[in-house]
Amino acid sequence: MRKLYLAGAGNVSKNLLSLISNLNSDIKIMGIENSRGQLFSEESLSMADINNFMKSPEDYRKSLNISKMDFDIYVDMRTASKNGERERDDYINLMKNGKHIVTANKSGLANFFPEIGKASSEFDKKLYFEATVAGGLPVFSLIRSSFPSFTVDSFTGVVNLTSNFVMKKVNDGMNLEEAKRKAMEEGVAETDMTDDLDGTDSARKAVIIANSLFHKPMRLKDLKYSGIDENNIKKNEMLLAKISMNKEFSVESRVFTLNSEDPFLRLAPMGMACSIGFKERNPVYISEDMDGPLETAGAVLSDILSV
Amino acid sequence: MRKLYLAGAGNVSKNLLSLISNLNSDIKIMGIENSRGQLFSEESLSMADINNFMKSPEDYRKSLNISKMDFDIYVDMRTASKNGERERDDYINLMKNGKHIVTANKSGLANFFPEIGKASSEFDKKLYFEATVAGGLPVFSLIRSSFPSFTVDSFTGVVNLTSNFVMKKVNDGMNLEEAKRKAMEEGVAETDMTDDLDGTDSARKAVIIANSLFHKPMRLKDLKYSGIDENNIKKNEMLLAKISMNKEFSVESRVFTLNSEDPFLRLAPMGMACSIGFKERNPVYISEDMDGPLETAGAVLSDILSV
């Protein structure tokens, strides 16, 4: 039996609930919370309970200490905090109290991966985060399941939708403001796309990859990164996260000028892609033309089922 | 503990042994055989034992009944039989005797998937075959681990190296005989490439996909397929296996003319690729520029570790 506590009740959470209800599995939802309220039951929640909570979460008062509640997996689908401290404290406390962590929220890991990873080893609890780097495009589960005997030695990824969408539209002839508006209209970007365009989002993902696939303890503050130069977008440019271990270890997250034959340049405007290189075998390329909350929820569910 | 019996002692087997010896795992090799000899030990074999066997397998006489030996997983890396009857009989007998099957040999599954799949359910034994369709490019492990909650509704794959290599070289200006010679020189093709060029190899893979991902019981003899038209190779053509469930179920394995923007056309001459569509979510594309016995051995090992 997998007893879940869902933190966050937005689009990813709603899609996850719908996937779970269509799946024949041993999953039970014990609790759910968002910023306004919290619902928990020792007996597990029905979909009707959850729907009532979703309608008016403020009717359900927040309890104090979730780490003492009876569940196995804490599923973090909350809005990221700015500095990741809340996530760090929550995860460490939860793992100490016997809970596994599955997260789609990258803030804690980007800022405190070394501390959180250490707690995962120390308390022997799983820490899965498929959805933090490329939404619903598999990276960690792919490596874990399909390449267990190989060592990753390079990763190059188109991991930020908004900036690459904006760059592509500008290269296709739109002006910058139109391209940004289009990104919002298409649901690619939030109203505030600062973190996307200044490169912070891609950098967070690079840091998570460096820690997890390359075992290099580092934090967002250790990385010099840059975003797109809004008034000087050029052809064949893309914002990429690039980590490699060929001879020396290096992590970059910035705009690269690509060879015109590079498959990344042929990616759809709302696509995600990455190329994963290995010490022993030939590299693998994986992409999708479109990513959204359903795809991300699928990644969260694959993590839950791997615990 | 995973106790293996390795059937076949060629390149894939050698690469698998090297991967296993570099991996910290619970795997033990109990036995190994090829067409000339067989070695088994109740205590598990050392790498020295195996190397001695590899040098002169004829010094190790074949025993009669492997199904009574003490191991958990039968790993089939033998040369495929023409009609798959030997593989069918072996797998069913082994599963009946409590063994799981991991195979890189597609002959049994292409011809008798319904019978073999039935035995796997009936005796509750695993049947994994990652390496049978796209060598070392993940298909089944990817779907199993990364997309457990989604339903596959289309598969299009470049799954035969030789024919696509030959077509590409002819399109690049080589004549047919040069292209075939080049395929042999580069290690892409065997001396006898009839099954590749007449489409049988790709068709076998289409049948395995139809049975496993689409749950449609069928056999190679049920499929009308074709290969490449050697004297009339055209631009933008590729030999593909294409299975879909949009409205009606269909399986095709033949040469298709692709849109010049299709990513399959940009694949390296020795590459494998596939696009997997789902009922619920956006499709995923995965490719590699080169595949060989090491990649295939990696796929076999990922199956072994999934048992």
Side-chain angles (χ1 to χ4, degrees), chain B residues 268-288:
Chain B
M270 292 166 77
M272 293 263 197
C274 69
S275 172
I276 305 168
F278 301 89
K279 196 174 130 202
E280 304 86 356
R281 61 154 279 155
N282 286 299
V284 167
Y285 173 87
I286 184 165
S287 69
E288 61 183 357

Side-chain angles (χ1 to χ4, degrees), chain B residues 231-299:
Chain B
N231 299 308
N232 192 19
I233 291 170
K234 299 204 197 80
K235 239 190 122 188
N236 294 351
E237 282 187 346
M238 288 188 95
L239 178 67
L240 302 176
K242 204 178 176 94
I243 300 99
S244 98
M245 212 166 60
N246 297 328
K247 291 178 191 160
E248 291 209 334
F249 175 70
S250 76
V251 193
E252 292 175 280
S253 181
R254 61 174 174 87
V255 171
F256 288 81
T257 304
L258 303 178
N259 180 303
S260 61
E261 288 300 304
D262 196 299
F264 284 145
L265 289 173
R266 293 173 195 283
L267 197 62
M270 292 166 77
M272 293 263 197
C274 69
S275 172
I276 305 168
F278 301 89
K279 196 174 130 202
E280 304 86 356
R281 61 154 279 155
N282 286 299
V284 167
Y285 173 87
I286 184 165
S287 69
E288 61 183 357
D289 283 351
M290 180 97 82
D291 198 88
L294 172 67
E295 284 75 10
T296 301

Side-chain angles (χ1 to χ4, degrees), chain B residues 213-232:
Chain B
L213 299 183
F214 294 79
H215 313 290
K216 294 288 177 186
M218 65 181 294
R219 297 164 183 82
L220 183 62
K221 66 182 170 60
D222 304 325
L223 180 65
K224 278 211 182 103
Y225 62 88
S226 55
I228 73 180
D229 184 352
E230 297 195 13
N231 299 308
N232 192 19

Side-chain angles (χ1 to χ4, degrees), chain A residues 2 14 33 37 78 83 88 157 183 185 196-197 229 243 251 267 273 283:
Chain A
R2 283 158 226 265
K14 282 174 197 156
E33 66 163 53
R78 296 176 297 181
N83 60 19
R88 174 197 59 195
E185 279 167 22
D196 297 307
L197 301 182
D229 184 353
I243 300 99
V251 193
L267 197 61

